[in-house]
Amino acid sequence: MAPPKSKLPTDSTSGWDAAFVDIGWISDDGITEANSTDASEIKGWQGGQTVRKVISSSEMTFQFTAIETNKTVLELYHKGSKVTSASGKSVLAIKAPGPDRRSFGFDVIDGNSHIRIVVPDGEVTETGDITYKGDEAIAYELTITAYPGADGTVAYKYSDDPAWVATPAA
């Protein structure tokens, strides 16, 4: 993740800009991408049949569970809070959550394919409960909502998989 308006990658293989910070390990549940839309039906007077649907809202989210307790994860989970350090000791002053938009990216390996997902403008909008147990890693459930840019784009997906290559029109 990186501050908003950071330089974004434009392919699946180049390095991430120095502004991006690694979140660390995520659980073996992986990343869940969800797309939801709400639509209103428009019905014709004759017979009451649906003649079209108008999308009234849409949302793209990415959910995952971070399993490292580090500065980046703590600040994402506790929106608006910052870890400060002095004399080798750190403190997280947890504040009431406020807006905290950032850029996000995910590198996904699927067999021999590398898929890179880039969210230029996103925000942690949901968090799960934290359980502290002696026999389990502390886990931080995070849901990121992707917000649309001026052109309506909420995310980019890049791949080096030859199957993604567009076939020219005949």
Side-chain angles (χ1 to χ4, degrees):
M1 64 101 226
K5 301 185 193 281
S6 294
K7 182 179 178 196
L8 303 174
T10 57
D11 60 45
S12 65
T13 58
S14 62
W16 291 92
D17 186 76
F20 278 85
V21 177
D22 191 353
I23 292 170
W25 288 100
I26 62 169
S27 75
D28 61 357
D29 291 333
I31 300 167
T32 301
E33 176 184 326
N35 292 286
S36 64
T37 57
D38 290 324
S40 301
E41 293 181 349
I42 298 184
K43 298 192 178 279
W45 175 72
Q46 307 87 337
Q49 300 243 349
T50 301
V51 294
R52 72 179 166 131
K53 289 188 176 188
V54 176
I55 295 175
S56 55
S57 68
S58 66
E59 181 177 75
M60 180 180 225
T61 60
F62 297 89
Q63 191 277 329
F64 59 93
T65 302
I67 56 172
E68 280 192 46
T69 301
N70 60 40
K71 178 181 185 304
T72 303
V73 170
L74 290 170
E75 290 178 356
L76 280 176
Y77 186 88
H78 298 286
K79 287 174 40 162
S81 302
K82 298 290 180 208
V83 173
T84 56
S85 299
S87 302
K89 297 186 181 196
S90 300
V91 64
L92 173 67
I94 300 172
K95 299 183 179 191
D100 189 17
R101 289 166 92 137
R102 301 171 188 235
S103 297
F104 292 90
F106 307 100
D107 280 320
V108 179
I109 305 301
D110 182 20
N112 292 326
S113 297
H114 177 195
I115 301 168
R116 177 169 284 171
I117 303 167
V118 178
V119 177
D121 185 11
E123 181 173 29
V124 173
T125 53
E126 292 180 40
T127 57
D129 295 338
I130 300 173
T131 301
Y132 302 99
K133 286 183 67 179
D135 61 346
E136 291 182 16
I138 300 170
Y140 304 88
E141 291 179 28
L142 302 168
T143 301
I144 295 165
T145 298
Y147 298 125
D151 67 353
T153 301
V154 294
Y156 296 96
K157 289 186 180 181
Y158 303 103
S159 179
D160 59 2
D161 186 338
W164 280 43
V165 176
T167 305

